[in-house]
Amino acid sequence: MMFLISTNVQSFRSVLGDDASTVRFCQHNSELGPHINGFDTIDIWICEGDEVTEELMNQWLASNRGSPKTLLVNNANLVRDLEKLSRGRVDEIQAIQKENQSESSWVLSTLRAAEKLYARQHVPHATHHKKANLDYNTNETVLIVGAGIMSLMAAESLAIRGFRVRIVDAGPDPRTCRDWTRLGATHGGGNARMFSYTEADSYNETVSDVYRDMRHLFRKTTLKGGWSVKPPSSYSAAEISWINTFEQVPIWLAQTMKKDIYHVNQEAGKLWAEYMERAPELFEGVSLHNDVLRLYAEDVALTAAHGLNRELGVVVDEFSQSEFLRRYPGFSAAARSDELAGGFAVQGFTLGIHLFVERLIGRIIELHGEFTWNCCVQKIRRNASGEVTVLESQLGDLRADHFVISTGVTRNGLLDGTASENLVHGVLGVWLQIPNLDSALKNSIKIHRRGSLVEDINVTISRDAKTNEEILILGGGYGYVGLTFPLPESPEMEELFNELEEVAHTYFPAGYQCAKQRGTLWPNGERKFCIRPFTPTGLGIFEDIPTASGGHLIITGGNNTGGFAQAPAIARAICRAVVGEYDPIHVLFNPHRSKLVDYKV
């Protein structure tokens, strides 16, 4: 994605500063030709209007004809003339809005509007507007690749609407498999998941008070305070490209995408509440705990996070450090060691994911859905027009009216040739458990330790499957594995587990010592981890490719730490795409938003 700016150049320069890797500035009209005919394709042109001649328009449109073009015009009176000049070849021509904004706010809103228009042009036109009186009584088939939480929720929603659903997964049936290493992020790892309204942060902001500057963390191993569990010298070309994209996300775009993530989380929160009312039987006996305590080790992060959650309208209780310690004296040691500045309570919930998805699988089967386990899908086959015809798998060709691919981290080139290619890489998190010895603790917790190796830790109240003892499941850490599997016994992995163990010792000393003495920090001696699908922008992906039969192939996933939290919103977006109805996620998570260009002004 590349911008050309030929109006109010100084204003844009002053706001963007050095963070302008996706922008070309043109101060003088005489320089427009060389800019347009340069090496990089200009996708979005922000102009005054009168500098756009027929010759320049033709040159611009001749470059990379397959890429949608967007024109934002400062002089609204010239929009109609430019529409005539473009002869329908520009996908979007709009006037720039200037209502009561400061110069910097106007620049940012213009960039954000242009970027969203660019993404919208990559959404199939059939889903740009909602359809009325949709008939959900259908006998069409939907093949879903991957049996993670998003896939399962989408499968249930589609089955309720009358679609014939089949789910195929490369792993074994999680209801009977006892080897967690063969299972994906949903079914493997710790038996705990959290919903809060700030899940799935983008992590590539450089001016955040909550997070340290993370721009170069993937270039260092955990042994050196970074986020990689393998030597950067071993990175493949695809992994280096992914990390370059992560590092090049401009500040203004990172902030925009963070707001988009929170918007999706807010929608998901409403849908989770509706789901709990509609299907309460799925949530019985799964250690459901409402509201989440957010604890912070530093005042600066506490203040910033409190302001954000108040802005989102999700704070349910506030207390000083002394008030908190009166309620929860077990945290006194953490406060004395300057590891607890304070906290507050927010809307959210946690649950035991394994029993929940086991019931969800059963519900899908009751709705006549089918499951095929141990089936690896290897390739998307297309015709000469680029339409999907069939999916190739180890069990043969798979056919359906519609396809959904949500497989987590793919390492077999399944997404090659799509806009989502190389956007989803693996970043693992680690787990341990301790008994909950604090009778006052009734809410699950999210602990934030700014600048620590394990920066965010979810602490979920649950019950031990064998003893029924109330336990705390700690999950956290960021270990980049890219497109490979980690070495569980590597020093880099050891560092992550050690850091998580330190968190348990610092905040829950009694429970930690008890688990240490019992030898139950890691049940059965298994140091569990799960590989979460990450994108370089923090946004999930949602790509819609037409099929030869007039249906859809939808690629989704990559939601960083928010896959569970955002699952019902993604499921709704999938259902809407299949029936040709618009959903904001089709634009917000469009993979073309991650197509940033490595270009320095």
Side-chain angles (χ1 to χ4, degrees), residues 246-521:
F246 175 86
E247 294 175 346
Q248 292 161 11
V249 177
I251 293 173
W252 68 268
L253 189 54
Q255 293 170 337
T256 299
M257 290 176 169
K258 178 177 287 192
K259 290 181 179 179
D260 294 339
I261 290 169
Y262 295 159
H263 170 78
V264 173
N265 290 347
Q266 288 176 308
E267 287 299 302
K270 299 173 189 175
L271 294 172
W272 273 117
E274 293 173 6
Y275 197 33
M276 290 177 184
E277 288 187 12
R278 177 170 61 83
E281 67 279 4
L282 295 180
F283 296 87
E284 293 175 359
V286 296
S287 297
L288 177 67
H289 287 80
N290 288 312
D291 295 338
V292 175
L293 292 174
R294 302 193 70 111
L295 306 183
Y296 294 83
E298 285 189 345
D299 285 317
V300 62
L302 170 63
T303 301
H306 182 256
L308 169 62
N309 282 273
R310 281 185 64 85
E311 183 181 332
L312 294 173
V314 297
V315 175
V316 296
D317 196 7
E318 305 175 58
F319 33 75
S320 66
Q321 185 196 64
S322 58
E323 289 173 325
F324 178 77
L325 293 177
R326 279 197 296 271
R327 297 186 197 183
Y328 308 104
F331 288 95
S332 297
R336 286 195 299 270
S337 58
D338 291 328
E339 291 286 350
L340 182 62
F344 50 92
V346 297
Q347 296 173 23
F349 68 90
T350 58
L351 54 71
I353 187 68
H354 296 163
L355 179 57
F356 177 76
V357 296
E358 182 177 326
R359 288 177 175 170
L360 187 51
I361 289 171
R363 182 173 174 82
I364 293 167
I365 293 172
E366 290 175 0
L367 293 167
H368 308 293
E370 299 178 9
F371 285 85
T372 302
W373 306 104
N374 300 303
C375 176
C376 180
V377 177
Q378 300 157 328
K379 184 178 180 180
I380 302 170
R381 193 189 304 164
R382 305 201 208 189
N383 60 22
S385 300
E387 299 167 327
V388 175
T389 56
V390 71
L391 299 186
E392 298 178 10
S393 82
Q394 65 186 91
L395 299 182
D397 290 348
L398 303 174
R399 292 179 169 81
D401 296 306
H402 308 278
F403 303 93
V404 178
I405 297 178
S406 182
T407 59
V409 183
T410 59
R411 301 172 179 85
N412 62 354
L414 175 61
L415 303 185
D416 287 359
T418 70
S420 302
E421 180 180 350
N422 201 44
L423 285 182
V424 181
H425 284 206
V427 177
L428 62 80
V430 295
W431 303 85
L432 63 76
Q433 76 175 47
I434 59 176
N436 181 16
L437 301 183
D438 188 346
S439 60
L441 189 59
K442 302 299 181 184
N443 299 95
S444 295
I445 303 170
K446 184 181 284 287
I447 301 172
H448 180 75
R449 305 168 79 218
R450 188 173 188 261
S452 299
L453 187 60
V454 180
E455 195 139 348
D456 291 298
I457 307 96
N458 289 355
V459 184
T460 302
I461 299 177
S462 189
R463 289 202 172 272
D464 186 276
K466 292 182 178 179
T467 66
N468 201 39
E469 177 185 36
E470 189 167 84
I471 58 174
L472 301 177
I473 301 177
L474 279 69
Y478 304 93
Y480 178 75
V481 297
L483 297 174
T484 61
F485 289 99
L487 298 173
E489 306 303 323
S490 70
E492 291 83 2
M493 288 288 288
E494 183 75 17
E495 193 71 14
L496 274 181
F497 281 110
N498 288 344
E499 184 87 4
L500 189 61
E501 191 173 345
E502 180 193 327
V503 172
H505 178 262
T506 300
Y507 292 91
F508 310 98
Y512 169 76
Q513 291 296 340
C514 181
K516 191 79 170 175
Q517 291 170 4
R518 293 178 182 174
T520 57
L521 278 174

Side-chain angles (χ1 to χ4, degrees), residues 148-158 272 275 356 360 364 567-568 571:
I149 183 64
M150 284 191 292
S151 296
L152 294 176
M153 295 191 80
E156 185 212 21
S157 296
L158 289 164
W272 273 117
Y275 197 33
F356 177 76
L360 187 51
I364 293 167

